[in-house]
Amino acid sequence: MPSVELVGVTKRFGRKTALDNVSLRVEDGEYAVVLGPTGAGKTTLLRIVAGVLKPDAGEVRIGEAVVNDIPPDERGVALFFQNFALFPHMTVLDNVAYGPRMRGLPEQDCIRIAREMLDLVHLLERANSMPHELSGGMQQRVALARALATGANLLLLDEPLSQLDARIGEELRYELRRFVKDLGLTAIHVTNDVDEAMAVADKIVVLKRGSVIQVGSPEEVYLKPKTPFVASFVGEATVFEAIVRAVDSERVRVEAMGVEIMAYAQGFSGGDLVVAAIRPESIRLLREAEPALANRLEVTVERISFIGGMLRVECGVVGTDLKLLSLVPDEENVELAEGEKLFASFSPEEVSIYPYPSEGLFRELSLE
Amino acid sequence: MPRVEVIGVRKRFGDVEALRGVDLSIEDGEYVCIIGPSGCGKTTLLRIIAGLIPPDEGHVYIDGKLVNGVPPEDRGLGFAFQNIALFPHMSVLDNVAYGLRVRGKDASFSKKVAREMLRISPIEISPKALPRELSGGAAQAVAIARALATGAKLLLLDEPLGALDARVRVSMRYELRRIVKDLGLTAIHVTHNQAEAMSIADKVVVMRSGRVMQVGAPRELFWQPQNLFVAYFVGEITLLEGYIVERSEDRCLIELREGLQLVSTCPERARGDHVVAAIRPERVKLYASEVGGENVLRGKVLSARVLTGVLRYEVLLENGETLLVKEILTHAKRRVLPETSVWVQIPPQSILLFDYPSIGLMREISLE
C-alpha cells in the first residue's frame, strides 16, 4: 500500500509557473483532496503523480521509492478523469474486465474481479448492458469500477463528479469515499468544489496559484483557516479590513467602518491594519431580550436565502456600511423578515484576525 | 396579470415525450427556477417559452398575448443559453452593448449600461478582451451581462452559471438574483443544481419525465414536499419504510423494519397503511447521553463529517437502517466521533408520511 510524497515539485509551462515548490505527503490509505480554483495547478499536480507529466524540479515518491523516471503504467496508479470514456462497443462487464485482462490474469479471475467491482458500484444487474443504454451517472460509476478493477492501490481522481447532475453528485460523493475506504486504497482527488472536498476528504490540500496554502482535516481547514483566502474560499465568510484599536494579553479590539469588534488574537499592536473573518454560523441573530455574547451589533436583515434547510441571512450593521453574513437554523416557530431589525451576536473566539496581506485584500481573495 | 403563462404544452421528439402536458404561471417580477434531473424536459420548456422551438400542443402567453408562432426576437426577451456564443470579432464591451445598439440607443449610453452590467461578474473581465481570450466562466458572465443589457423585461437563463467554478458559482448566483430584482425583471432560470435554485428563487418548479411535480417557494418544497420525488430531490432526507399499526385522533404509530416504532402526527392515514416516513436531517436532535421524550431512538454514529457550516452524521439505528442528522456547526459544539453510542430524537410533527410507491421506493426517487 502506497504513501505519496512530493518534495519541492516545480512545473512551468512557458513563462507560467503551474506549481511552485510544492511539498506534500499523503499517507497510506488516506483520502486526500486537492482543492483550489481553476488554474491553481491541481490537475498538473495529479498528472505529475500519475507520471503523465514530468516535474521541472523536485521529487515524487510512491511508497518510499522515487518514481520520477518510472513510466505511468509501472507506478501502480489508476487514473479517473472527468470525461473518461467507456469503450462503446463493449458490454459494461467487458469494460470493467479490461484492466485485469490486460494484466494477463486468468479469465475467471478477470470476470470475478469485474463482477465484484460492479457490485460495489451497485451496477451488477447491468453487467450485460452496453454503455449507451446507461444514464450519465451510471456510466460514471462503470468508469469508476473500471478504474478500481485495475488493481492499483493508488487512485487518482480528477474532478470525478463534475459532469453529473448536482443531486447525483451529492449522493455519489459519499459512495466514492466508501468504495475507497472499503478497498483500503490511497486516493488523491482533485476538485474546485468545496462541499465535495469536505464530504470525502481525510485531508484537504488548499492550492492557489501553484502553491500549497494550507493542509489539514476538513475540520481544521474550515474552522481554523490559515489565511483570508482559505476563510473565504472554503465556505462562506464575512471578510473585511479593520484597524487594531486596543490590545491586551489575549484579545484585540478592532474597528471596521466605525464598528468595534472584539477578537481573540495575539501578536498585533494598536494601529495595525488587519483582516477579520467570521464564519456565518458563528453569528447568531437575536431579538432584543435575548442574552448576547461579547460582540453585539444592531443589524437590519437585508436578504434571506434558503440553503439546505438553513437560512442564509445577509445583514447590514445599522448606521454603517459593514455587512455581515449569518447562517441560522430554519426553525418551525421562528419567522425572520427582510427589513427587520435584530442583534447580531458572536463570540470573540469566532473572529479570526490576520495580518493585512502584502498583495492587498482584493488580490488575496481573488479566485483566479 | 401573469407575465408568462404556459397551458397544456406538449412536445415530442421522435419516440421521446419531452413534455407531457405542462401548465405553469409566472408572475410579473418573479424569479423562477426550473429544476429536475437530466432529460426531465426543463430546457425544452424554456426553449418553447423563448420561441426557439414550437410546442406540439398547448399555448404560451407573454404579457397576456398568445405568442405561439411569434419569433423569439419579437417576444421581448433577453436570454443567456449555455451554447449561444458571443460574437467572436467583437470586444466584451461591444458584445454586451449590442442589444442596445440594435435598438437604436447611442454608443455612449449603450457602453455605459454595458459597463454596469459587467460589474455583476465576480471574475475580473477586461471590457476590451475578445471572447476567445476569456475562460468559460468569464464568457458565461459576459453572456448574462449581454442578456441583461438588452433592456428586456423577461430574462430566460439556461444553466447560466454552469461553466463557473463551484465557489464562483455560489457568489454569482446571489449577484444574479440581486440585479434581476434591482432591475425589476422577471427571470426564468433552468438549472440541474437544486441548491442554486433553492437559494435564489421566489418560486421553484420541480420537473420529472416531462411533467411538473410541484411548484412552490423553496421552503415550502423543502419542508412540505407533495411527493417522495420532490422530498428526495430538493435535499438530503432519510426514507424509512413502515406500516401504520395504531392510530388515535391526532397521532399514529408507525412500525418500521425489525419492529422499531415511531410516533407521528398523521392525518388521512389508516391502520394497516404501507407508508414511507421521510425525515429531514435538520429536524433530528442528536444526544451523546440518554434523554427522555417521544421518538428517542438508540443508535451508533457511523460517520461524522464537518461540512461547510454543518455537521453531518450518519447514525445506525438498532433496526439496521441509517438515519441522517445535520446540526449547525459552531466552535462550541463538539463533534461526536464515529463508533460513539448516541440517542436521536425525531419530533413527531416533523415526520412526513407518503404512501409506499407501487413501483418501489428506489424507482420512485430515481434521479436517472
Side-chain angles (χ1 to χ4, degrees):
Chain A
M1 289 293 146
S3 60
V4 178
E5 194 163 11
L6 273 67
V7 185
V9 167
T10 294
K11 178 74 189 174
R12 290 184 202 88
F13 296 107
R15 263 191 254 157
K16 191 178 181 299
T17 302
L19 290 177
D20 189 7
N21 194 21
V22 167
S23 295
L24 168 68
R25 186 176 166 88
V26 178
E27 302 300 332
D28 179 22
E30 200 168 37
Y31 198 126
V33 174
V34 181
L35 174 66
T38 296
K42 308 184 295 290
T43 297
T44 302
L45 187 153
L46 205 65
R47 287 173 183 261
I48 285 175
V49 176
V52 186
L53 275 179
K54 275 192 179 295
D56 295 331
E59 260 179 24
V60 180
R61 297 192 188 128
I62 296 180
E64 294 314 316
V66 175
V67 295
N68 285 41
D69 296 320
I70 309 272
D73 50 351
E74 290 168 28
R75 291 190 180 195
V77 300
L79 265 166
F80 183 78
F81 290 103
Q82 48 187 317
N83 36 19
F84 210 106
L86 298 173
F87 301 118
H89 56 288
M90 283 187 194
T91 63
V92 162
L93 187 74
D94 287 338
N95 262 284
V96 180
Y98 182 82
R101 283 177 181 146
M102 284 291 105
R103 278 155 61 206
L105 297 183
E107 180 60 15
Q108 71 262 36
D109 286 350
C110 296
I111 298 295
R112 180 182 51 77
I113 292 169
R115 292 181 63 87
E116 276 172 17
M117 293 307 146
L118 281 173
D119 194 27
L120 188 71
V121 299
H122 307 302
L123 280 173
L124 188 53
E125 75 278 17
R126 302 305 295 268
N128 297 318
S129 301
M130 301 304 284
H132 69 87
E133 296 170 316
L134 304 182
S135 69
M138 290 177 183
Q139 289 184 28
Q140 200 81 343
R141 271 146 62 199
V142 175
L144 182 65
R146 187 172 65 174
L148 297 172
T150 59
N153 293 321
L154 174 57
L155 187 61
L156 304 178
L157 304 148
D158 189 1
E159 301 278 3
L161 307 173
S162 66
Q163 298 296 307
L164 300 171
D165 270 13
R167 189 71 182 91
I168 297 179
E170 279 177 16
E171 291 292 303
L172 221 49
R173 50 173 87 132
Y174 295 103
E175 282 189 42
L176 187 54
R177 180 179 160 89
R178 197 148 45 230
F179 303 151
V180 168
K181 290 292 166 185
D182 285 353
L183 295 172
L185 308 179
T186 305
I188 305 178
H189 171 150
V190 156
T191 182
N192 66 59
D193 187 325
V194 172
D195 293 308
E196 183 176 307
M198 300 282 285
V200 297
D202 295 317
K203 178 190 270 176
I204 291 179
V205 179
V206 182
L207 202 64
K208 183 195 181 191
R209 290 183 210 130
S211 298
V212 173
I213 308 292
Q214 186 169 1
V215 178
S217 68
E219 197 167 351
E220 283 161 0
V221 170
Y222 187 78
L223 293 177
K224 298 192 178 73
K226 232 166 99 179
T227 67
F229 172 78
V230 178
S232 79
F233 181 68
V234 182
E236 290 197 288
T238 303
V239 180
F240 52 93
E241 283 183 30
I243 293 170
V244 176
R245 290 298 181 205
V247 295
D248 65 24
S249 57
E250 50 180 8
R251 297 198 302 180
V252 298
R253 192 174 80 234
V254 301
E255 187 214 310
M257 297 182 217
V259 180
E260 298 218 323
I261 289 168
M262 295 295 297
Y264 279 103
Q266 288 171 330
F268 296 95
S269 342
D272 282 358
L273 184 60
V274 295
V275 174
I278 314 171
R279 288 276 175 226
E281 61 279 4
S282 302
I283 299 180
R284 266 165 271 179
L285 295 178
L286 310 172
R287 317 260 170 201
E288 188 148 18
E290 296 169 273
L293 301 162
N295 290 302
R296 176 178 182 271
L297 304 169
E298 195 184 5
V299 297
T300 307
V301 174
E302 291 179 353
R303 166 80 191 133
I304 302 169
S305 315
F306 184 73
I307 52 170
M310 316 271 170
L311 300 177
R312 174 189 185 272
V313 187
E314 294 169 51
C315 306
V317 178
V318 172
T320 76
D321 290 331
L322 186 64
K323 307 284 181 200
L324 296 176
L325 187 63
S326 169
L327 186 71
V328 297
D330 186 12
E331 304 286 355
E332 281 158 294
N333 45 3
V334 184
E335 279 300 323
L336 287 180
E338 289 174 15
E340 187 177 3
K341 287 220 166 47
L342 292 167
F343 290 93
S345 181
F346 46 95
S347 138
E349 287 173 275
E350 315 234 20
V351 184
S352 305
I353 301 289
Y354 303 98
Y356 195 81
S358 55
E359 49 177 18
L361 186 56
F362 184 81
R363 176 93 178 127
E364 164 74 17
L365 300 185
S366 163
L367 295 174
E368 284 165 275
Chain B
M1 192 187 346
R3 266 185 80 79
V4 180
E5 194 142 24
V6 172
I7 300 171
V9 163
R10 293 177 173 273
K11 182 72 192 180
R12 181 183 276 282
F13 296 108
D15 287 343
V16 180
E17 266 193 281
L19 296 176
R20 309 173 188 225
V22 169
D23 297 312
L24 183 62
S25 181
I26 291 165
E27 307 299 327
D28 191 15
E30 235 175 1
Y31 198 115
V32 175
C33 285
I34 306 180
I35 59 174
S38 290
C40 71
K42 53 190 192 295
T43 292
T44 302
L45 179 60
L46 196 72
R47 288 174 172 263
I48 286 174
I49 296 170
L52 295 169
I53 48 175
D56 294 339
E57 276 178 49
H59 302 286
V60 178
Y61 294 86
I62 296 179
D63 272 338
K65 285 197 284 282
L66 183 65
V67 294
N68 289 41
V70 175
E73 59 273 23
D74 295 334
R75 293 188 177 201
L77 327 154
F79 43 89
F81 284 3
Q82 258 173 319
N83 46 5
I84 289 186
L86 300 171
F87 301 117
H89 57 289
M90 283 187 195
S91 71
V92 161
L93 193 67
D94 288 340
N95 260 286
V96 178
Y98 179 81
L100 289 164
R101 295 303 308 278
V102 297
R103 288 183 187 201
K105 303 284 184 197
D106 73 62
S108 70
F109 174 80
S110 302
K111 289 196 175 173
K112 183 173 154 282
V113 173
R115 274 180 208 284
E116 260 164 47
M117 294 305 157
L118 275 174
R119 250 181 249 144
I120 69 158
S121 171
I123 313 168
E124 225 182 329
I125 301 172
S126 159
K128 289 186 191 140
L130 289 170
R132 67 178 145 77
E133 298 166 330
L134 302 177
S135 68
Q140 205 153 34
V142 173
I144 294 169
R146 185 173 66 171
L148 291 165
T150 59
K153 289 289 173 205
L154 175 59
L155 199 59
L156 304 183
L157 306 161
D158 188 7
E159 296 285 3
L161 310 175
L164 298 168
D165 262 23
R167 185 67 187 83
V168 183
R169 187 171 177 149
V170 169
S171 306
M172 185 131 171
R173 70 192 189 198
Y174 298 112
E175 273 304 285
L176 186 55
R177 179 191 155 94
R178 193 185 53 72
I179 197 157
V180 164
K181 289 288 167 183
D182 284 353
L183 296 171
L185 310 181
T186 305
I188 310 178
H189 171 154
V190 161
T191 175
H192 69 81
N193 189 318
Q194 81 292 344
E196 180 172 301
M198 300 288 274
S199 64
I200 58 170
D202 296 316
K203 186 154 96 183
V204 177
V205 179
V206 183
M207 290 186 66
R208 182 191 205 183
S209 311
R211 289 196 178 87
V212 172
M213 300 297 285
Q214 188 171 350
V215 177
R219 291 172 74 196
E220 186 186 335
L221 292 185
F222 193 84
W223 298 119
Q224 289 120 32
Q226 281 165 10
N227 50 68
L228 275 166
F229 179 74
V230 171
Y232 181 72
F233 190 72
V234 300
E236 286 199 289
I237 197 160
T238 303
L239 301 174
L240 303 172
E241 181 185 356
Y243 289 87
I244 310 277
V245 290
E246 254 180 66
R247 76 155 302 155
S248 65
E249 199 156 311
D250 61 345
R251 301 254 147 161
C252 61
L253 192 66
I254 311 157
E255 187 161 305
L256 309 174
R257 273 180 215 163
E258 306 290 327
L260 201 66
Q261 294 187 330
L262 281 181
V263 172
S264 158
T265 49
C266 60
E268 294 157 38
R269 300 283 159 189
R271 232 181 112 175
D273 281 359
H274 189 191
V275 296
V276 176
I279 302 159
R280 287 273 176 228
E282 296 82 3
R283 287 282 183 256
V284 184
K285 301 265 179 286
L286 184 129
Y287 301 95
S289 54
E290 192 162 5
V291 289
E294 255 179 339
N295 286 347
V296 174
L297 304 176
R298 274 198 80 135
K300 190 180 80 175
V301 174
L302 288 178
S303 79
R305 308 280 315 165
V306 174
L307 307 179
T308 54
V310 179
L311 275 167
R312 178 188 186 274
Y313 295 101
E314 293 174 355
V315 176
L316 181 69
L317 300 177
E318 283 179 319
N319 72 346
E321 295 191 287
T322 303
L323 182 76
L324 293 177
V325 184
K326 282 185 184 172
E327 290 180 344
I328 212 149
L329 182 72
T330 58
H331 281 266
K333 196 163 273 167
R334 294 298 296 267
R335 182 165 66 107
V336 179
L337 296 172
E339 301 299 319
T340 311
S341 282
V342 290
W343 285 261
V344 290
Q345 190 193 11
I346 307 166
Q349 72 281 7
S350 71
I351 300 175
L352 302 163
L353 286 178
F354 298 96
D355 292 329
Y356 192 86
S358 55
I359 58 170
L361 182 55
M362 292 319 286
R363 279 192 64 194
E364 179 71 18
I365 61 169
S366 167
L367 299 171
E368 313 284 358

